[in-house]
Amino acid sequence: MKSNNILITGASSGVGLFLAKRLSAQYKVIAVARRIDKLRSEFKDFPNVRPYFLDLNDVNRIGGALEEIIRVEGDIFYVINNAGVMQPGSIEALKMEQMLQSIHVNGLAPMMVLKTLLPAMKKQNFGRIINITSGAPLNCSPEYGAYSASKSILNSLTITLGKELVSSNIKVNLMSPGPVQSEMAPNATLQPSICFPTVDYLLSLPEDGPTGQFFWLGYEVPLFPDLEGVDWLGGVGNEKLRKIQDIKDD
């Protein structure tokens, strides 16, 4: 029997906090964040939630920290990579450390988490993974380049991992919770609970369910244009691509 442990990163506030409390009725929640005191305070009345310190900006230590948690709590087959940072500012104004923090926490840390957990999932041939993304890499709003770029990294890595795991019963998908209220977006119009049905759907996918896809508030959102018939190596497009000039091979 596989364990019902679920790992939720960034569980000290926002979507992660709401999900950890709600899912504790069904799972043993391993809630991780940097603010360990806040975790302990928020979950003191939730016996099914186990708070742990984890700094996702320090990507080289993620694996070791998770291995320690696994030694105590057992293998983890459900994951919600929720933690994120938002560094607003124009491209010219952003500092290198701000861009790197965004890339580390939003883009690379979820993959470091999964590198540690995937061996047990493969051995059991079971895993349900939700990587929390955003509409930002689709909208690319001004002043949010670091956030949009880092979520683009997460999107590409998730889709690639889905293809690598396509023959297994390990499902990894992207989910945008929508513009919900959080410390990053205190003026947002929606409550985090709006994403609960989509989370439930992705955690309970059957073996033939989707993987490597993007979901948002009950919708499956395409991330790519229709490229049927496109020959990349031959340099030939299809009728759905707007042709701007004729190219001749000299």
Side-chain angles (χ1 to χ4, degrees), residues 10-141:
S12 62
S13 65
V15 172
L17 175 62
F18 277 78
L19 286 175
K21 289 182 175 181
R22 181 176 183 274
L23 293 173
S24 66
Q26 183 179 355
Y27 301 86
K28 182 173 75 172
V29 177
I30 299 168
V32 301
R34 289 178 302 161
R35 295 179 292 182
I36 186 63
D37 291 340
K38 191 171 189 300
L39 282 177
R40 289 169 177 156
S41 175
E42 289 285 357
F43 298 117
K44 63 182 185 297
D45 297 323
F46 291 81
N48 264 6
V49 179
R50 313 296 174 86
Y52 285 91
F53 171 84
L54 185 63
D55 183 1
L56 294 178
N57 191 46
D58 193 351
V59 292
N60 292 319
R61 295 189 178 183
I62 291 173
L66 286 177
E67 287 170 358
E68 289 294 326
I69 292 172
I70 292 168
R71 273 192 276 272
V72 176
E73 305 293 350
D75 288 327
I76 299 168
F77 297 102
Y78 299 90
V79 182
I80 301 178
N81 277 310
N82 164 78
V85 297
M86 183 183 291
Q87 300 279 13
S90 67
I91 299 298
E92 62 181 331
L94 283 168
K95 297 179 180 178
M96 181 59 68
E97 54 265 29
Q98 292 176 305
M99 289 190 279
L100 287 176
Q101 184 187 28
S102 296
I103 289 170
H104 285 169
V105 175
N106 299 342
L108 300 182
M111 293 302 120
M112 297 306 296
V113 168
L114 297 181
K115 279 174 67 69
T116 304
L117 303 183
L118 277 172
M121 291 184 185
K122 288 183 174 180
K123 184 176 180 180
Q124 188 74 28
N125 191 33
F126 182 86
R128 295 295 181 267
I129 302 160
I130 302 174
N131 288 334
I132 300 296
T133 187
S134 166
L138 305 180
N139 301 324
C140 296
S141 298

Side-chain angles (χ1 to χ4, degrees), residues 185-203:
N187 298 319
T189 57
L190 302 177
Q191 293 297 317
S193 58
I194 197 170
C195 71
F196 288 173
T198 308
V199 169
D200 291 342
Y201 166 76
L202 293 173
L203 290 178

